Amino acid sequence: MNKISKKIFASIFLCISFSVFSQNSELENEDNIIENPDFFAEETEQTQNQEQEIQTHITISHSSEILTLNPHLSSYSSEAQILINIYEGLFSYNPKTCEPDFAIAKDYKISRDKKRWTFILREDAKFCDGKTITSNDVKNSWLNLLKNKNAPYSSLFDIIEGAKEFRTGKSTSQEVSIYTPDEKTLSVHLVSPASYLPRLLCMPAFSVVSETPGIFSGPFYISMFTPTELELLKNPHYYDSENIKLQSTSFLLTENAEDNSFFFNTALSEWITGPVNYSKIIDENSKHISVQFGTEYLSFKIYDETDSDKTSGFNIWNKKEFRQALLESCPWDKMRENVFVKASTFVYPVKNYPQVQGYDYTDLIQGKRLMSEARKKYNIPEEQNINLSIALSEFQEEKAQILKDAWKELGVDVNFIQTSNLSQITSSNADMFFYSWIGDFTDPLTFLELYKKDSSLNISGWSNAEFEEKLKEANLYTDENREKLLSEAEQILLDDAMILPIQHPVSLNIINLNKVKGWYTNPFNIHPLKSVYIQKIPKTYPGLVKK
């Protein structure tokens, strides 16, 4: 999910890490963009008739950083919390573990060579207008994702035969190995085994998207969307509708931390996922901080040599030797001060993943020696200052200043370029950029995909033949050999001095779990509303005794 993050610190305004990318919203135009259509008229009046112990509406103070609600285009984590509730694919995230639960699929089979997967769809899977979801709907959704050049996650489907060629415009959709033997059967042929496929298919990007705008496949649908509020209503045609207790949800969209704190303290909202003044929350037990399956880091950008430095005849920071000098001289302890969970490597540690040698030792003498050798190799005079620019937001200036002061010792002049979103990073002339990446499925590949040569997520421009070969070889295995090869690929990336890992980010949620049930802390900070409900807490009157 990709993500530029705003930092979380106690006693100041806190903002949750979010993904990066996306286009302008296709829904955002004017107030009440999506009206409640006639086919939702059969929605019952359960809200009024239900027992008083259960509250069927929840109000959530949410970030307003919603650029698009198109699952094919979005990768902001702030949007993912909404998308998982209005769109659904073959699998959905388990609310406790984020492991895959069956959703539109009810079963699957895998061939002996592990490369052919056959999915069986639910007979009662329907869109919110009552139309049955078929295997063709799934196939068309996936093909539409692949042909969208702005879809950040499309390259994750390169594991399907013909998908990469179609995605890159080298073939037609007919050559993509996705087949529909009948309305409830979907068959996929892979290039190589991919044991993580069900985890991958939990992501909103691979959900079922109707060809009709405003029609949703998930447990809820959008009834109203304005710049300040988003309302969801329960999908009456959802296959598990009778077990969903919430009838409606309101997302209050704001970046005002003071307002969010006030709303929560006065019970106008039950949950804060967006900015909050942490110190003003009265109920200490409502503060839930947890480590996310992600890493915040700085990355270099690699440029085409034709866009070269006018003085030296090449882009200095394309050269590994100069990058290595900076990393040796990086004041790692200072860079990782006041962070919740320090990160010396790129991939968040997962089960059975071998240890990788990261960065945690600062050696200024070695850094100066490496810089001197690099200057000699590429004919850069010792007295010539070298320019390096870093793209950052206002929240990252303090960290960038640490690097500016340290690298001055190497004759490097650091300047800052203010940015607020991914498009500004990719279009700027910055040599480095801050990034916070939250994985979307529990596998090292969700991190390494960002540096794969032809990946739609690779904004660094880096490529390495040995790295690519390790990833390719890893695809041949489903045992511990796969993790071993992926860790070797990560080591190549780190040794090439492309990444400065800083921390594993944390999520902050303000929520009263004595009242809100079915909500669980998990590594992706993803919370399906279909499992959530509000338990009404009886009012008490101090000083009164019940007879």
Side-chain angles (χ1 to χ4, degrees):
M1 273 159 249
N2 137 17
K3 304 113 189 175
I4 295 174
S5 59
K6 294 181 178 178
K7 300 306 235 162
I8 304 177
F9 292 112
S11 301
I12 62 172
F13 292 165
L14 304 179
C15 300
I16 302 304
S17 297
F18 59 94
S19 314
V20 289
F21 351 104
S22 302
Q23 310 302 307
N24 291 331
S25 172
E26 296 178 357
L27 300 176
E28 266 185 354
N29 267 325
E30 299 174 354
D31 290 357
N32 300 322
I33 309 298
I34 298 178
E35 297 292 344
N36 190 2
D38 293 339
F39 54 73
F40 295 126
E42 64 182 81
E43 189 71 71
T44 66
E45 297 182 0
Q46 285 180 301
T47 303
Q48 290 95 354
N49 299 331
Q50 285 207 353
E51 296 293 329
Q52 291 300 306
E53 288 77 12
I54 300 297
Q55 179 178 318
T56 58
H57 179 85
I58 187 171
T59 300
I60 304 169
S61 295
H62 192 73
S63 171
S64 60
E65 290 165 325
I66 298 178
L67 300 188
T68 172
L69 284 177
N70 183 335
H72 290 169
L73 299 179
S74 174
S75 60
Y76 278 80
S77 58
S78 57
E79 287 187 286
Q81 179 57 52
I82 297 170
L83 291 172
I84 62 167
N85 295 300
I86 58 176
Y87 292 102
E88 196 166 78
L90 301 185
F91 299 87
S92 61
Y93 291 110
N94 181 282
K96 292 183 180 180
T97 66
C98 284
E99 287 297 299
D101 284 340
F102 281 116
I104 290 173
K106 67 176 184 179
D107 197 7
Y108 66 88
K109 297 178 181 179
I110 311 174
S111 65
R112 289 181 62 198
D113 65 0
K114 312 297 183 186
K115 293 196 291 186
R116 297 188 302 281
W117 292 61
T118 300
F119 300 95
I120 309 301
L121 276 57
R122 294 177 180 271
E123 289 79 4
D124 54 352
K126 295 180 180 181
F127 290 104
C128 63
D129 62 350
K131 179 179 176 293
T132 297
I133 295 174
T134 68
S135 54
N136 268 320
D137 291 317
V138 182
K139 177 179 179 178
N140 291 337
S141 295
W142 291 359
L143 291 177
N144 287 336
L145 168 75
L146 289 170
K147 72 181 181 182
N148 193 323
K149 294 182 179 180
N150 295 315
Y153 291 115
S154 60
S155 64
L156 288 171
F157 257 7
D158 286 357
I159 56 175
I160 299 175
E161 288 182 352
K164 180 178 179 181
E165 290 75 15
F166 174 57
R167 175 175 68 83
T168 55
K170 298 177 182 177
S171 69
T172 65
S173 61
Q174 285 72 29
E175 296 174 74
V176 182
S177 295
I178 304 174
Y179 308 104
T180 55
D182 58 56
E183 285 196 347
K184 291 298 176 180
T185 306
L186 183 79
S187 179
V188 179
H189 293 195
L190 306 182
V191 175
S192 56
S195 58
Y196 58 88
L197 185 57
R199 292 189 179 96
L200 181 70
L201 295 179
C202 292
M203 295 172 58
F206 307 113
S207 57
V208 180
V209 180
S210 172
E211 299 282 353
T212 305
I215 302 301
F216 304 94
S217 56
F220 297 87
Y221 65 88
I222 297 177
S223 62
M224 183 266 289
F225 184 22
T226 75
T228 58
E229 186 174 359
L230 173 71
E231 183 179 72
L232 306 185
L233 295 180
K234 186 170 78 169
N235 172 8
H237 301 289
Y238 186 67
Y239 59 84
D240 197 32
S241 178
E242 63 181 27
N243 291 317
I244 297 176
K245 296 181 175 63
L246 287 179
Q247 298 292 320
S248 58
T249 301
S250 293
F251 289 89
L252 306 180
L253 308 177
T254 177
E255 296 302 308
N256 192 312
E258 295 293 335
D259 284 352
N260 286 339
S261 303
F262 175 78
F263 293 154
F264 185 82
N265 286 335
T266 56
L268 295 176
S269 72
E270 287 86 14
W271 174 16
I272 303 176
T273 66
V276 58
N277 188 331
Y278 191 80
S279 64
K280 289 192 176 181
I281 297 299
I282 296 171
D283 181 7
E284 290 293 328
N285 293 327
S286 68
K287 302 173 181 179
H288 301 275
I289 298 177
S290 59
V291 182
Q292 288 189 277
F293 185 66
T295 304
E296 181 183 302
Y297 61 100
L298 281 98
S299 177
F300 282 94
K301 284 172 64 178
I302 302 299
Y303 293 95
D304 188 321
E305 290 294 329
T306 58
D307 297 328
S308 60
D309 183 279
K310 296 290 188 275
T311 303
S312 59
F314 62 89
N315 190 296
I316 288 174
W317 305 113
N318 277 12
K319 307 304 178 184
K320 173 182 176 179
E321 294 87 345
F322 289 100
R323 301 196 301 266
Q324 286 179 323
L326 294 191
L327 266 66
E328 284 291 335
S329 309
C330 178
W332 297 108
D333 289 342
K334 286 187 177 181
M335 288 294 290
R336 294 168 183 151
E337 280 181 349
N338 301 319
V339 303
F340 285 95
V341 184
K342 297 178 182 179
S344 61
T345 59
F346 182 42
V347 175
Y348 187 94
V350 294
K351 186 179 179 181
N352 299 325
Y353 190 68
Q355 186 173 356
V356 176
Q357 184 177 2
Y359 290 98
D360 54 18
Y361 180 73
T362 302
D363 190 338
L364 183 57
I365 294 175
Q366 173 70 349
K368 288 181 176 180
R369 186 181 69 81
L370 290 175
M371 179 59 74
S372 180
E373 291 176 354
R375 287 173 179 271
K376 289 177 182 177
K377 181 175 180 178
Y378 294 102
N379 299 315
I380 307 295
E382 292 285 347
E383 64 275 9
Q384 178 184 322
N385 279 5
I386 302 172
N387 292 317
L388 180 141
S389 57
I390 303 177
L392 45 72
S393 70
E394 60 181 294
F395 299 94
Q396 295 149 348
E397 285 187 12
E398 183 180 349
K399 296 291 184 188
Q401 187 63 46
I402 293 172
L403 296 178
K404 182 182 179 73
D405 295 340
W407 291 343
K408 187 176 182 180
E409 296 281 335
L410 304 181
V412 175
D413 286 338
V414 177
N415 61 82
F416 307 149
I417 298 176
Q418 291 288 335
T419 60
S420 60
N421 57 52
L422 179 70
S423 61
Q424 291 179 334
I425 289 176
T426 53
S427 62
S428 75
N429 292 321
D431 304 299
M432 299 185 75
F433 57 91
F434 277 88
Y435 214 59
S436 184
W437 181 255
I438 312 300
D440 299 278
F441 56 101
T442 50
D443 191 273
L445 192 63
T446 192
F447 293 89
L448 300 177
E449 180 76 16
L450 273 68
Y451 287 87
K452 191 176 176 182
K453 181 180 179 181
D454 295 323
S455 171
S456 51
L457 295 171
N458 187 345
I459 65 170
S460 70
W462 182 81
S463 65
N464 180 288
E466 189 180 2
F467 177 85
E468 299 291 327
E469 189 59 36
K470 292 290 183 183
L471 295 184
K472 184 177 180 181
E473 187 179 355
N475 286 336
L476 302 176
Y477 297 94
T478 57
D479 56 13
E480 65 274 5
N481 287 314
R482 180 173 181 274
E483 280 71 27
K484 178 177 179 294
L485 289 162
L486 291 177
S487 70
E488 291 173 359
E490 182 190 0
Q491 193 66 67
I492 291 168
L493 173 63
L494 292 172
D495 290 347
D496 208 49
M498 277 295 297
I499 291 176
L500 285 73
I502 301 172
Q503 69 166 324
H504 298 302
V506 299
S507 62
L508 170 65
N509 288 274
I510 307 297
I511 186 167
N512 181 354
L513 295 184
N514 290 323
K515 183 179 180 182
V516 181
K517 304 299 182 181
W519 187 101
Y520 308 94
T521 297
N522 61 57
F524 299 155
N525 195 30
I526 289 287
H527 307 282
L529 291 173
K530 65 181 181 179
S531 69
V532 171
Y533 65 97
I534 309 296
Q535 183 73 53
K536 285 192 175 181
I537 302 175
K539 292 183 179 179
T540 59
Y541 300 91
L544 297 181
V545 179
K546 183 178 180 181
K547 290 185 70 175

